[in-house]
Amino acid sequence: MLSLSFVLLICLIESVAASTPDAYILRTRSLPPDLNVMPSLSNGHLGYTVFGNAIFMNGVYNGAGGNSRRARIPNWINITAELCDPAGCQVNNEHTDISFEMDLRGGYFKYRKEYSSLGLTLEQRTYPHRYYNRALVYELLAHRHTSIPLNRNTQYVKLSQYPGKVSDAFNFEVLNNGSFALEDYRTLRGVTKVLELKQFQPSPHEIYVIFSEPLEQPRILDWPTGQTELRHRIIICMDRQQTVAQKELQDLLQLSPAAMLQSHVNAWTDFWDKQFSIEIIGNALELSRIVNAGIFYMASSLPALSSHQANEPYDGLSPTGLARGNLDADYEGHSFWDTEIWMLPVVTQFNYEFSKQLLDYRYNHLEGARFNARTMGNRGARFPWESAFTGTEVINPCCLEIAQQEIHISPDISFGLQKFFAQTNDYAWLCQRAWPIAADVAEFLVSRSACEDTCHFLNVMGPDEDHSNVNDNVYTNAVSKIALDFAVWAGSKCSNSSPETFEQWRQLSDKLIILHDAQLDYHPQHSGYTLGETVKQADTILLGYPLQFDTSSTHLNDLQYYANFTRATGPAMTWSMFAANYLSTKQDWRAHEYFARGYQNYVHKEFKVWSEVPIGYNGSANFLTGIGGFLQSLIFGYGGLNFARAGDTSQLQLSTPNVPPDVHQVLIKYIKFAHSKCVWTFQYSSSNMICTGQANQSFELLQGNQRTPLGHSFNVTLNRGDPTMHINVIN
């Protein structure tokens, strides 16, 4: 007899599958040769890689100093079903069709086996619940096809866990072995073994893991001959507090399987429908899937804005996301400059609250940054090159010179603060959160500089990590000027600090040297740079986009020069930045070439998982940094969009748009500007933005030299070849 809840679940699954556009479905009949590039699934609290051996929890690290990394929890949700009969489980060899599918819109991974000769189907599904975000879910749905005579033998399904080896990060103890009795759950308590830095972490992390049923030994599910359908679900809940994990599990078990799945799918469809999506219109299905996968993998590592129980503070977005972090290739789950420069501009379009939580991570670790500055003999706040739980430096012991020299991380964070303010115009946030960071970064820069008639940063390393211990890296100096100017301005709005302090910052900004070769009209990357030297990645070219520091003809010369001397095996975002910058110069053909180069050799075909370096070379997987650069090149490069602060005015800047080859139009829902929410379409010939929002906003639109005050709602159209924008402002 088929239960009503199971019928509803089947109907829901079929309905979701039928309504999901092809651009959100990643389907394959064979797994990638390297299972490290399977999808990473997260919900901001927990994350894991499909078929991987690890689960990670937000903010939970193990190891001292540079040995700190995300604390690996065995992947107990890595469960596999086998079809068996009284003779054993060799029946598994008889399946004739298998498929694997990542549903980006619904937020789940499923795999399906068809046993055609037996008339049987096994479908398995796994996901970290987006609303009940302490929960990881495994679901089994087995079906006998009524059109085929029932097999006379009783079938069984065996469920087995493959969690990987015992964790070397936790000491686990069993608090309750569990049984199948009501509310008697297997419960583990885990305690991390090593503190990151006792001064900032006085006690180890403690977590609780609660299972809906014990599964240390394989579970055998009877499937009698007369039963058409079989379903089963396993839920694992984790939190720092046992009561929170237990409540999550108990409340989920009160839901039918259909309702549990629906609440998860609803959370994801709300994101796509109400917060952010990009629709690529044209002959570009593969590009659409890459775009949607990139958005999904980045957004899934962020905390849910609405959850069943209150979220804990968010502890940073690392280059490979929450689902990874115990390997060196995963950057140990640490936060870098990648957050503010490569990911924040995209995350801000998802929802302001996501970005506030990323920047709150920096604010909450300001004391750690001050400690870092003091240990180096400086004042102010020196943010670590690699940051984990305490906000102190946790760079791998192999690479200490990087932490000592890549000081641009601190002004990078100030730059991120300024860009976020320019888009939000949130003065309360500016004074409460941005100003304390900006002021301490400015103090650090003053104490780190060397000044006589001109000012310099000596013994530094820019984004190009192939050149260490150089003087006056041009990117470092440019972003520092921006940070100093922002601190002066923010201080005028938020602080009663002495005029002498502001003048110190202003003087450093004015005197800080920006190298320029007048004869060749280009920016040497650093003092002593020799023509023809190869650089690792985008560095000097960032003076155009994203810094908007130099967009003159010199910048075009920078692009043309460094394009010939950038390492071909460099990270993905390098080529996306060449694309974004060439779009601003109107050299379309070069932009198209670099845009394609920025993803085609970096995205694995099966589930559109990104690699840090071209496929075939060793590097990180699920590389969110590359995704961030790629999406920036599409939104801000092709779209011609920028947000800026001009004095006390926030500006929405639009320039003539473009689109990648084979794309007719790009539709983005939604771009945010202050309290306005905008639907934006752009194509080669035109750009149209329709915004609605709250009253009492004061902004302006800039296109070329044309400045137009904007109200809370407006409609802007920009046509290629027409120097005048068509604007309808509703006040």
Side-chain angles (χ1 to χ4, degrees):
M1 187 71 178
L2 211 57
S3 71
L4 178 59
S5 64
F6 189 73
V7 172
L8 291 174
L9 179 59
I10 293 294
C11 291
L12 170 64
I13 291 168
E14 291 178 350
S15 173
V16 168
S19 62
T20 302
D22 286 347
Y24 292 88
I25 296 294
L26 310 178
R27 185 181 295 116
T28 180
R29 296 192 179 279
S30 60
L31 294 177
D34 180 4
L35 294 185
N36 192 42
V37 295
M38 291 295 290
S40 291
L41 306 182
S42 309
N43 59 18
H45 180 69
L46 298 168
Y48 60 98
T49 298
V50 173
F51 301 147
N53 69 352
I55 297 168
F56 299 105
M57 183 184 293
N58 168 49
V60 179
Y61 292 83
N62 181 69
N67 293 311
S68 175
R69 59 190 64 215
R70 288 202 198 277
R72 176 185 165 269
I73 304 165
N75 190 0
W76 289 302
I77 205 66
N78 186 18
I79 300 168
T80 297
E82 295 178 86
L83 183 63
C84 308
D85 62 20
C89 296
Q90 66 272 17
V91 68
N92 270 314
N93 298 324
E94 298 183 19
H95 69 263
T96 57
D97 190 21
I98 187 167
S99 64
F100 305 89
E101 181 179 300
M102 183 68 229
D103 188 318
L104 302 169
R105 188 167 172 81
Y108 56 80
F109 179 84
K110 70 177 183 180
Y111 44 113
R112 181 184 180 97
K113 292 181 180 179
E114 294 274 0
Y115 299 87
S116 301
S117 62
L118 301 176
L120 305 175
T121 299
L122 290 186
E123 183 168 302
Q124 300 167 79
R125 182 184 314 272
T126 182
Y127 55 92
H129 205 288
R130 187 66 179 169
Y131 180 72
Y132 292 89
N133 61 1
R134 272 68 173 185
L136 306 178
V137 179
Y138 168 85
E139 295 175 339
L140 167 69
L141 302 97
H143 178 70
R144 283 192 173 99
H145 304 291
T146 55
S147 59
I148 298 177
L150 294 178
N151 190 293
R152 289 176 293 177
N153 290 328
T154 298
Q155 302 290 338
Y156 306 91
V157 176
K158 183 171 80 170
L159 300 182
S160 302
Q161 276 182 336
Y162 296 92
K165 64 182 181 180
V166 173
S167 174
D168 59 1
F170 286 95
N171 290 315
F172 280 106
E173 64 172 323
V174 179
L175 302 184
N176 187 337
N177 257 322
S179 69
F180 296 104
L182 182 64
E183 297 187 3
D184 184 21
Y185 311 116
R186 177 171 169 80
T187 303
L188 305 182
R189 174 179 176 266
V191 178
T192 53
K193 296 180 179 181
V194 184
L195 303 178
E196 188 171 294
L197 182 63
K198 188 174 180 60
Q199 180 177 341
F200 291 90
Q201 184 192 354
S203 58
H205 299 285
E206 181 178 271
I207 70 168
Y208 293 86
V209 185
I210 305 182
F211 302 78
S212 61
E213 63 183 69
L215 204 64
E216 298 75 62
Q217 299 300 321
R219 176 77 188 278
I220 302 298
L221 304 177
D222 290 335
W223 192 6
T225 302
Q227 182 177 319
T228 306
E229 309 281 357
L230 173 69
R231 65 173 175 83
H232 197 77
R233 63 178 174 178
I234 295 171
I235 305 168
I236 304 173
C237 293
M238 303 185 199
D239 196 76
R240 294 175 185 268
Q241 300 180 52
Q242 184 176 358
T243 54
V244 171
Q246 185 162 326
K247 175 176 170 53
E248 198 89 341
L249 179 58
Q250 290 171 336
D251 291 351
L252 267 173
L253 290 174
Q254 295 299 311
L255 300 177
S256 68
M260 182 178 70
L261 176 61
Q262 185 68 69
S263 60
H264 170 72
V265 170
N266 285 349
W268 270 110
T269 53
D270 279 354
F271 170 81
W272 294 109
D273 292 343
K274 298 177 182 179
Q275 295 182 43
F276 189 76
S277 65
I278 298 178
E279 182 180 355
I280 305 292
I281 302 168
N283 185 25
L285 179 59
E286 180 70 1
L287 178 60
S288 294
R289 287 173 170 157
I290 292 170
V291 167
N292 289 333
I295 294 170
F296 174 82
Y297 292 133
M298 187 176 290
S300 65
S301 276
L302 298 169
L305 299 181
S306 177
S307 57
H308 183 56
Q309 299 183 82
N311 290 332
E312 295 175 342
Y314 187 61
D315 272 325
L317 184 59
S318 64
T320 59
L322 179 55
R324 299 167 187 261
N326 66 316
L327 301 177
D328 289 351
D330 299 325
Y331 291 105
E332 297 92 22
H334 298 164
S335 292
F336 294 71
W337 75 311
D338 305 47
T339 301
E340 283 75 19
I341 297 299
W342 301 109
M343 294 184 271
L344 184 72
V346 175
V347 169
T348 301
Q349 311 318 312
F350 294 171
N351 192 292
Y352 290 162
E353 292 305 313
F354 289 137
S355 290
K356 284 183 176 180
Q357 293 191 51
L358 290 182
L359 295 169
D360 275 353
Y361 171 72
R362 300 299 191 182
Y363 177 84
N364 293 337
H365 290 85
L366 189 53
E367 196 53 49
R370 290 166 178 156
F371 171 83
N372 296 332
R374 291 194 300 271
T375 61
M376 299 296 291
N378 300 124
R379 302 189 306 275
R382 181 183 182 276
F383 282 91
W385 182 243
E386 298 189 29
S387 181
F389 180 69
T390 64
T392 58
E393 184 60 68
V394 290
I395 194 167
N396 192 303
C398 74
C399 313
L400 295 179
E401 70 172 6
I402 294 177
Q404 295 163 357
Q405 297 177 26
E406 286 209 58
I407 65 170
H408 65 83
I409 176 68
S410 295
D412 289 339
I413 291 170
S414 283
F415 177 76
L417 297 170
Q418 176 172 238
K419 293 298 288 186
F420 182 71
F421 173 78
Q423 188 168 348
T424 63
N425 204 44
D426 187 337
Y427 275 88
W429 174 86
L430 173 75
C431 293
Q432 293 167 10
R433 288 291 191 265
W435 159 245
I437 298 174
D440 272 14
V441 167
E443 277 298 290
F444 164 69
L445 293 173
V446 169
S447 71
R448 181 61 172 77
S449 63
C451 293
E452 292 183 357
D453 294 332
T454 56
C455 292
H456 310 267
F457 286 124
L458 308 178
N459 309 118
V460 299
M461 181 187 296
D464 168 25
E465 292 165 342
D466 286 354
H467 289 84
S468 61
N469 204 34
V470 301
N471 298 333
D472 291 322
N473 169 261
V474 70
Y475 172 86
T476 300
N477 289 14
V479 75
S480 295
K481 279 177 170 282
I482 294 170
L484 290 159
D485 293 344
F486 177 61
V488 171
W489 178 82
S492 72
K493 303 299 176 186
C494 304
S495 172
N496 294 320
S497 297
S498 68
E500 291 79 10
T501 297
F502 293 163
E503 184 58 27
Q504 266 193 317
W505 300 348
R506 190 179 292 110
Q507 285 290 321
L508 176 57
S509 177
D510 290 345
K511 293 183 178 181
L512 195 56
I513 190 170
I514 298 294
L515 296 174
H516 177 248
D517 184 317
Q519 182 176 358
L520 298 178
D521 190 21
Y522 93 114
H523 293 107
Q525 183 174 276
H526 52 262
S527 179
Y529 174 80
T530 302
L531 285 172
E533 284 186 71
T534 298
V535 303
K536 173 189 174 184
Q537 64 184 73
D539 188 316
T540 304
I541 69 162
L542 301 179
L543 268 62
Y545 182 88
L547 297 189
Q548 302 292 327
F549 182 84
D550 186 347
T551 56
S552 68
S553 60
T554 302
H555 176 53
L556 178 58
N557 292 337
D558 288 342
L559 290 173
Q560 293 173 336
Y561 171 76
Y562 287 106
N564 294 316
F565 297 102
T566 298
R567 192 203 300 173
T569 58
M573 64 281 188
T574 289
W575 316 118
S576 296
M577 289 302 98
F578 272 105
N581 279 284
Y582 267 121
L583 283 160
S584 69
T585 69
K586 309 308 178 189
Q587 293 195 9
D588 299 5
W589 69 96
R590 294 186 186 273
H592 298 330
E593 173 192 342
Y594 283 112
F595 180 71
R597 187 175 178 180
Y599 71 88
Q600 287 180 347
N601 295 327
Y602 293 84
V603 179
H604 293 264
K605 63 180 181 179
E606 293 87 357
F607 300 109
K608 316 309 177 195
V609 172
W610 283 66
S611 289
E612 177 185 15
V613 294
I615 294 171
Y617 293 86
N618 294 326
S620 302
N622 195 45
F623 192 52
L624 301 184
T625 305
I627 292 172
F630 164 72
L631 291 175
Q632 285 191 60
S633 68
L634 178 61
I635 298 167
F636 303 106
Y638 278 103
L641 175 67
N642 187 39
F643 300 97
R645 178 187 60 81
D648 292 347
T649 303
S650 287
Q651 287 185 339
L652 169 66
Q653 300 178 349
L654 282 176
S655 58
T656 305
N658 207 320
V659 287
D662 299 321
V663 174
H664 172 66
Q665 186 181 79
V666 178
L667 168 62
I668 300 182
K669 295 181 178 178
Y670 297 87
I671 293 293
K672 289 79 179 174
F673 183 46
H675 297 298
S676 295
K677 190 174 183 179
C678 309
V679 176
W680 182 32
T681 58
F682 61 88
Q683 53 196 20
Y684 179 78
S685 60
S686 64
S687 174
N688 176 253
M689 186 175 287
I690 303 172
C691 302
T692 57
Q694 301 175 10
N696 302 318
Q697 296 185 153
S698 178
F699 318 107
E700 67 180 22
L701 178 67
L702 179 68
Q703 196 273 325
N705 295 320
Q706 181 183 349
R707 302 169 69 142
T708 306
L710 296 175
H712 61 87
S713 298
F714 50 92
N715 184 335
V716 178
T717 300
L718 172 64
N719 294 310
R720 180 176 290 274
D722 185 347
T724 303
M725 287 185 292
H726 302 277
I727 306 170
N728 179 27
V729 177
I730 304 170
N731 291 308

